[in-house]
Amino acid sequence: MDVVLQALVPVFALILLGQFLRRMHFPGDGFWPLAERFTYYVLFPAMLVFKLGSASIPPSAYGQLLFVVFSLVGVMTLLVVVIQLFWKWPGAVFSSVFQGSLRFNTFVGLAAAGLLLGDEALSLFAVAIAIMIPLLNLLCILMFALVIGQGPVQWRSVFGTIIRNPLIIGSLAGAVWGFVGLGFHPLLVGFLAPLSSMALPLGLLTVGAGLQLKALRGASMPIAVSSVLKLCVFPVLAAALASLFGLEGLIVKVVILLAALPTASSAYILARQLGGDASLMAGIISGQTLLAMFTMPVMLSLLW
């Protein structure tokens, strides 16, 4: 527990600092959206290329991650659908519960993986997100089409958005670079290393700045249900599946960490664009991010 706490406290301290600075309007309200965009499109792709390109990941790890991630997402999707049969929430509400139960905050995950487990785990986590991001995006778009039904899904646009995702591009480019074994010239290291070092702290600050604490007023059952599913049930399920499939070592810890993360900030944008309950989604994101300060140390300590 002590080791986990020592690694996670700085992660959530930076998130809280970002929220404090945003509330103080420092350095200005216009700064934070631009900082988030810069981190998402420049810093994190640079870090993924640098870390993955420098790593030596065994080929078997790619297949193991692909299999366990698909299995984990499939089982969790079925569980959320079964719960919906019981609660019978309106489509817009269910869409937020669905996203809140399955999606994950990439910024928090990359920071936690690097601080807790080192660069090798960071590289494995990058491979996992390259698998999980397109899978979850497709599932969420399909879910919105089924429960909201605002017209036919524009699949060409959906696939285009996924292909252009900078985190996927960075992960794939870094994985190919590392697989080929090209290495990095010292001049390229001098360029990528500073960008890589900036990514995690600025990314976490923007996560904190983006929290909408007002959305937690009158916290509802959908927030509670999605939070229990995402922060408690999902990591337990990940540990169970990893054990069932005979996975061992670092890859197990990476999968459990991936499952234990709070939901993604970008879920709010998708809810707003596709007719979901955006205010509920904001509450789920903010509530889970704050709750994860307590649940992640406990779940990781118990399951690792």
Side-chain angles (χ1 to χ4, degrees):
M1 174 70 86
D2 289 344
V3 174
V4 173
L5 278 175
Q6 289 175 12
L8 290 181
V9 165
V11 171
F12 288 104
L14 284 169
I15 291 174
L16 293 175
L17 177 60
Q19 173 65 199
F20 173 77
L21 293 174
R22 179 66 181 265
R23 292 173 75 88
M24 294 296 103
H25 305 286
F26 180 86
D29 291 339
F31 169 80
W32 294 106
L34 295 176
E36 182 179 17
R37 184 175 177 83
F38 178 64
T39 304
Y40 184 67
Y41 283 98
V42 178
L43 297 183
F44 268 104
M47 184 193 73
L48 292 170
V49 169
F50 184 53
K51 297 296 184 182
L52 272 170
S54 305
S56 298
I57 300 175
S60 60
Y62 292 94
Q64 290 175 335
L65 282 171
L66 183 68
F67 184 67
V68 73
V69 164
F70 267 77
S71 301
L72 183 58
V73 171
V75 173
M76 197 64 188
T77 299
L78 289 176
L79 178 59
V80 177
V81 170
V82 169
I83 290 174
Q84 168 63 359
L85 294 177
F86 173 77
W87 286 104
K88 294 182 172 60
W89 285 305
V93 173
F94 173 68
S95 69
S96 293
V97 174
F98 185 88
Q99 288 202 90
S101 301
L102 276 88
R103 300 188 69 174
F104 62 98
N105 193 304
T106 310
F107 291 2
V108 177
L110 288 168
L115 291 172
L116 276 168
L117 302 170
D119 284 351
E120 185 180 355
L122 187 63
S123 300
L124 286 172
F125 190 89
V127 173
I129 66 173
I131 298 169
M132 205 160 181
I133 287 175
L135 175 61
L136 288 178
N137 272 277
L138 288 174
L139 272 177
C140 289
I141 295 294
L142 180 60
M143 176 273 301
F144 271 102
L146 291 174
V147 304
I148 304 295
Q150 290 189 334
V153 179
Q154 302 296 321
W155 288 111
R156 183 174 181 180
S157 175
V158 172
F159 284 114
T161 300
I162 293 172
I163 292 171
R164 293 192 299 271
N165 186 300
L167 301 183
I168 295 177
I169 293 172
S171 296
L172 293 177
V176 171
W177 196 289
F179 182 79
V180 175
L182 295 175
F184 292 105
H185 188 277
L187 290 177
L188 196 52
V189 171
F191 174 73
L192 290 175
L195 293 175
S196 178
S197 299
M198 291 171 61
L200 295 180
L202 187 56
L204 292 173
L205 287 171
T206 62
V207 169
L211 295 180
Q212 301 181 39
L213 301 185
K214 291 181 179 179
L216 288 171
R217 293 175 180 173
S220 59
M221 186 59 69
I223 294 178
V225 171
S226 66
S227 297
V228 170
L229 288 173
K230 183 66 191 72
L231 301 176
C232 300
V233 176
F234 210 175
V236 170
L237 180 60
L241 288 178
S243 176
L244 180 65
F245 299 150
L247 301 181
E248 297 179 346
L250 197 57
I251 195 169
V252 175
K253 293 185 176 183
V254 167
V255 171
I256 294 172
L257 171 61
L258 180 68
L261 294 169
T263 197
S265 303
S266 57
Y268 174 77
I269 299 173
L270 201 61
R272 192 175 57 190
Q273 290 178 340
L274 298 182
D277 191 329
S279 61
L280 173 60
M281 195 69 249
I284 291 173
I285 293 166
S286 300
Q288 286 193 18
T289 303
L290 295 175
L291 287 171
M293 291 190 288
F294 305 98
T295 60
M296 282 183 65
V298 173
M299 300 307 296
L300 296 181
S301 298
L302 289 175
L303 298 174
W304 278 2

